[in-house]
Amino acid sequence: MASSDVDICTLCYDEYNSKEAIAWCTECEEFLCKDCEKHHKKMKISDDHKTMSIEDYHKLPQFVQDMSTYCQDHMEKFKLYCSFHACPCCEKCCSDKHKKCRDMKPLSDVVAQVKSSAWVQLLDQDLKDVKESFEEIIKYLKSRVNTCKFQKIQAFAKIQYMKNSIDELFNKLEKEIKYDLEYKHSELESEMNTLLLQLEQRANQINQLQSDFSQMTQHATELQMYVGLKEIEKTTSKAAQYIDDLKRGDNLKENNLQVIITPSVHSIVKYVKSFGDIHIHTRPSPLQVNAGREDQAQFLVPTYPGFDLIKPSMLKTLSIPDDKKCIHIGACRILPDSTYLILNNQDKKSQLWLFNNDGTFKKEVIGKLPGSSTDTCFVRNNTVAVTLGSANQIVLVDIEKKKVIKKIKISHDCYGVASDGQILVISSSEKSTIVNLDDIKSHKILEEVKANFISLFKGNNYGTIGDEQKVCCYASTGEPLWTFKHCDIRYPQGIAIDMNGFIYIASTENNSVMVVSPDGKTSKTILSESDGIKDPIAIDINRETGTMLISSRMNDDSEEKSFQKVFVFQI
């Protein structure tokens, strides 16, 4: 289409002509000469197409120039966007690769005003942060090279001073110690210079990317801008991760050259076996750099590729003793030692039972709690918290001592409870309260946080509101972040969150377990009645192991009684 020096008009070239192009049509993706550009603007089918000069076109980064607005499989223009796969699609793609994808959006809506979006500002700041971080690290490492050289000079002076105090017998030992010093210094300097070279290369890459970013924001189309931003964000994220890895690793630790003169040098010559040793004393780097946001800003159309991989597999069922089967399981928790805690609140007789990791019954922790309990959570140090519903009270129970060790009174009903080891969050349908575990008299009311069951993850509060058929996410300050409702979520109760931020919901009235994406925009059913799930209420997840507990009801037709079970799944 184009030579290395001159871009040739696409239309003329097709007609075996070779006129130099002066413009690029972003819609047709064709080079246009002066005459073709005039005809292009007059034609009804292309009079609204946007064109740019060849000079502006070549200012775009190469990866932006290489992008196409046409589907390579069907040769049709992209008109839709698949949120699940995070890619543009043509209309034929909907009946081909994306026929099972439900969240399809008009591409024009997705890329509209992308240049003025918060995403651009956040990415611009990320580039600046990463660039500054590289500059700081380079500056720091250069200073360390100079310090290391100075330490080397000091070590030589110390060695020379001692050498002048002894006779020729030490010449051989002196050569050995100097060689050792040179060798270890060479290793240190080589390692630091190698790291410096890598950092300078990456810093140059960021500089170039920053330049590309500036040009892109001025000249790229909306789609080019959108895809380009994703490409730049990917590179920026990798750079930020590289900096994080440097901080967590050993490369930035201070390796200080030291010479330790053997004590025997100060005594009789005949006892001297060596001149000394060269030690590299390492300590943590004092360097403080900002590597950028750990959690990158949400995309305009967020996607979660691992969503379709969530497929729980059954591990076992807890063996509830025959005399304890007629129960109502209000909550189930996986404790840090991988044992299972069950809260029974049948007929206002609240009990806590402990089960071994293999699912067998271990012991009764509490035979009768003071009130009708609704939820429980692990706190810390063999302690769990239990909410007592309308009694406006939470009790702390020591599992080992099998007794209530503390009672906490608050100003509203106590339904759901969650803890991160530092605080307790107690929820109700009217408001919630944060209790400081180090000062239980310190309470903070969250008026906006209303939930029957609650869970904590990365500073946010997640809750279910059964009567309103919705799942909500709140900031730690109580500010509502998002609300999710879906026809498949009916009377949601228990809530749990895995290590990736996916929210798992016990959907009671339609006998299923749902998972909601971290942005609160999509969901899917992962367990249903066909998996043995019936009227689920309680749910919990061990974020480290991926183990999941779910309560379920089963009927014994012969005795017409309702029995509760707890399933253990691996997600």
Side-chain angles (χ1 to χ4, degrees), residues 228-482:
L229 288 175
K230 294 187 70 175
E231 188 69 25
I232 291 177
E233 184 174 58
K234 185 191 301 180
T235 304
T236 306
S237 297
K238 288 181 179 178
Q241 182 61 48
Y242 176 80
I243 293 172
D244 282 337
D245 291 343
L246 280 179
K247 292 167 59 182
R248 288 193 292 267
D250 297 331
N251 288 327
L252 297 183
K253 288 184 178 179
E254 293 187 359
N255 297 315
N256 296 310
L257 278 169
Q258 291 180 321
V259 59
I260 300 175
I261 302 299
T262 304
S264 60
V265 171
H266 297 284
S267 62
I268 303 174
V269 174
K270 66 178 181 179
Y271 294 114
V272 175
K273 302 299 181 184
S274 68
F275 205 98
D277 293 305
I278 301 298
H279 285 277
I280 298 173
H281 173 65
T282 300
R283 65 184 182 186
S285 168
L287 186 64
Q288 299 292 328
V289 293
N290 179 15
R293 293 170 291 127
E294 291 187 4
D295 295 324
Q296 292 293 325
Q298 290 184 339
F299 297 162
L300 296 178
V301 184
T303 59
Y304 298 95
F307 209 42
D308 58 332
L309 301 179
I310 301 176
K311 296 177 182 178
S313 58
M314 170 78 79
L315 295 180
K316 53 182 167 277
T317 303
L318 298 193
S319 300
I320 299 175
D322 291 339
D323 62 340
K324 301 181 184 298
K325 285 189 174 179
C326 293
I327 59 175
H328 183 275
I329 298 174
C332 55
R333 299 295 173 197
I334 307 173
L335 301 182
D337 62 358
S338 296
T339 57
Y340 308 117
L341 187 71
I342 303 301
L343 173 66
N344 169 36
N345 52 17
Q346 177 78 0
D347 298 327
K348 298 184 179 180
K349 182 182 178 181
S350 301
Q351 299 171 317
L352 283 175
W353 298 331
L354 193 64
F355 289 77
N356 295 306
N357 178 254
D358 62 3
T360 58
F361 182 77
K362 183 175 183 179
K363 66 180 180 180
E364 185 175 80
V365 177
I366 292 288
K368 187 175 181 181
L369 286 164
S372 178
S373 59
T374 54
D375 196 11
T376 184
C377 74
F378 177 78
V379 180
R380 61 188 181 189
N381 303 329
N382 293 320
T383 303
V384 296
V386 182
T387 55
L388 301 181
S390 57
N392 295 12
Q393 194 175 67
I394 309 98
V395 294
L396 300 183
V397 177
D398 189 308
I399 299 174
E400 293 298 321
K401 296 179 180 178
K402 300 171 60 174
K403 67 176 184 179
V404 174
I405 59 174
K406 198 166 291 184
K407 298 179 180 179
I408 305 173
K409 191 78 173 177
I410 63 174
S411 62
H412 56 79
D413 291 343
C414 304
Y415 295 154
V417 63
S419 175
D420 62 2
Q422 303 298 318
I423 61 171
L424 277 178
V425 180
I426 304 98
S427 66
S428 74
S429 57
E430 51 181 299
K431 56 188 171 184
S432 297
T433 296
I434 297 177
V435 175
N436 187 333
L437 288 169
D438 294 324
D439 180 11
I440 61 173
K441 293 182 180 180
S442 175
H443 295 183
K444 179 182 178 181
I445 302 296
L446 302 177
E447 296 286 351
E448 297 294 326
V449 180
K450 302 174 182 180
N452 301 123
F453 290 86
I454 196 164
S455 186
L456 306 179
F457 185 74
K458 291 189 175 181
N460 290 339
N461 303 298
Y462 297 79
T464 57
I465 305 177
D467 292 338
E468 299 180 22
Q469 322 291 343
K470 64 185 182 182
V471 182
C472 301
C473 176
Y474 308 89
S476 58
T477 57
E479 177 189 1
L481 299 179
W482 53 256

Side-chain angles (χ1 to χ4, degrees), residues 56 83 121 137 216 223 230 298-299 319 451 455 524 562:
D56 288 344
S83 299
Q121 299 175 14
I137 295 174
M216 188 170 63
L223 177 58
K230 294 187 70 175
Q298 290 184 339
F299 297 162
S319 300
S455 186
K524 76 169 185 175
S562 177

Side-chain angles (χ1 to χ4, degrees), residues 134 197 199-210:
F134 277 120
L197 180 61
L199 287 165
E200 287 171 346
Q201 289 174 346
R202 288 177 178 267
N204 290 336
Q205 182 185 14
I206 292 300
N207 284 335
Q208 181 59 46
L209 200 59
Q210 196 170 25

